[in-house]
Amino acid sequence: MEERGSDGWYLFAGVLVPAFVAALGGAALAHGWQTETRSLAACEPTSFGDCLSLGFPLLFVGVIAAVAAVWLAQRVLGTARPEWGTLAGLAATIGALLLWEAGHPRWAPPSSDLAALLAGVGFAVGVAVVAVPLPRVLRTVLVVALAVPFAVYPVLSRETRRADLADRLGQVGLPLLVSQAKGFRVGSASADPRRRFLTVTMTRPVDPRTDSTSGKRSVSILVVPVPAGFAPPARCGPARTDLPVPEGGPAAPAGPPCRPVGPDHWVRTEADDEVHLLRRGDALVLVDSGWRASDEDVAVVAGSLTELTPRRLAELVH
């Protein structure tokens, strides 16, 4: 009885101590991640690379060091199969982190307390699955269960990002316009409710049989409130490059003149490219070329705009 109790104590310690080491490492890494995220958000670059630091690369080194410390703790305590226990614990911790991140539209560092909990419980589960004597079938089921978060994360994350985008699109208070032209599809969409600024990118693949270029062509649809002083054809601004107007900044200039091509539809030239302007109630729509798009592509998109609901547009993006 005493020997069995002693074995049980060593087994318990062989799971608990590595979990404690993992919790300390998780808390430290989360704190470093938070610090780097705040620093990056507060940085206002004046040239390329101003906001880059060694912080994020060092975090990866920290992850390796924390995992190595967990493995070493198992070796010192004589835990069975420490390599496999470390891998299982790492998988369980990453899976738990993925499930937490799936509820956020963008990757965000967890709090230090939460990171400690995820890492501690994750490595405790992983080490226990490997080190504790279990029936082979049960051990196999538990190992497979560790892989479940990796399978469901893409689905959960996609739905979260879709809901977040639909919410922002609904808050912007502008018509959500896309093209119905054949061959074009929605490539991306973004909205800034505070600045009332909406951008949708339409893309279409290039046919290699008729076009020597490769990849895709893109056309940008920009929607903003009708600017003050907008009076076509003499005053058709602001120019595409002046948008969006910075928060608290001066109003954009009236811009270059334009020529009418239809009801509430004008065209002007910017940097040798045609830009189509359409008025939809209190909104101004600017359609211009993106990557490798021709003036004909822009005209086709501008002539086939239709309005969608926020949810439908978000579904087309993701």
Side-chain angles (χ1 to χ4, degrees):
M1 288 291 293
E2 183 177 353
E3 184 178 351
R4 289 184 180 180
S6 177
D7 290 344
W9 168 252
Y10 278 115
L11 182 60
F12 179 74
V15 173
L16 184 62
V17 173
F20 179 73
V21 173
L24 293 179
L29 290 169
H31 177 73
W33 187 358
Q34 294 166 15
T35 300
E36 290 302 316
T37 300
R38 287 194 297 266
S39 175
L40 189 62
C43 179
E44 297 182 0
T46 57
S47 61
F48 179 77
D50 281 354
C51 295
L52 298 179
S53 71
L54 293 176
F56 280 110
L58 287 177
L59 285 177
F60 288 100
V61 177
V63 171
I64 296 173
V67 172
V70 172
W71 170 82
L72 182 61
Q74 293 176 80
R75 291 281 295 181
V76 171
L77 293 168
T79 306
R81 298 183 292 275
E83 295 82 5
W84 290 108
T86 301
L87 288 176
L90 183 61
T93 301
I94 294 176
L97 178 62
L98 287 177
L99 291 180
W100 184 80
E101 292 288 354
H104 299 76
R106 286 161 292 279
W107 276 79
S111 66
S112 296
D113 291 343
L114 178 59
L117 178 64
L118 294 179
V121 174
F123 272 92
V125 170
V127 173
V129 167
V130 173
V132 174
L134 296 171
R136 180 174 299 179
V137 174
L138 178 59
R139 194 190 307 276
T140 301
V141 170
L142 293 175
V143 170
V144 172
L146 296 181
V148 171
F150 295 88
V152 302
Y153 167 76
V155 178
L156 298 178
S157 179
R158 187 184 307 113
E159 182 57 32
T160 298
R161 288 184 285 110
R162 180 180 293 166
D164 175 72
L165 177 57
D167 182 60
R168 287 185 285 113
L169 291 171
Q171 291 180 26
V172 78
L174 295 168
L176 310 178
L177 301 172
V178 301
S179 173
Q180 290 183 309
K182 182 179 180 180
F184 280 93
R185 63 180 298 273
V186 177
S188 64
S190 61
D192 188 335
R194 290 183 303 173
R195 300 164 72 183
R196 299 201 67 196
F197 181 80
L198 167 69
T199 301
V200 176
T201 301
M202 304 299 304
T203 64
R204 74 170 180 87
V206 174
D207 188 347
R209 296 171 300 179
T210 59
D211 199 314
S212 59
T213 60
S214 60
K216 296 181 179 180
R217 292 185 175 184
S218 65
V219 175
S220 174
I221 302 172
L222 168 66
V223 187
V224 295
V226 173
F230 180 73
R235 297 168 63 85
C236 301
R240 175 65 179 85
T241 54
D242 294 324
L243 294 171
V245 178
E247 287 184 281
C258 56
R259 67 181 188 276
V261 295
D264 289 332
H265 188 172
W266 304 269
V267 174
R268 70 179 180 219
T269 302
E270 293 184 35
D272 298 326
D273 294 323
E274 286 191 348
V275 178
H276 287 247
L277 298 91
L278 302 96
R279 183 163 186 166
R280 294 291 182 95
D282 295 329
L284 178 65
V285 185
L286 296 90
V287 183
D288 70 339
S289 61
W291 177 252
R292 296 183 181 275
S294 65
D295 289 343
E296 290 75 14
D297 291 324
V298 176
V300 167
V301 170
S304 59
L305 296 178
T306 186
E307 188 171 353
L308 300 180
T309 64
R311 181 65 184 185
R312 179 55 182 159
L313 178 53
E315 289 174 349
L316 291 177
V317 173
H318 300 293

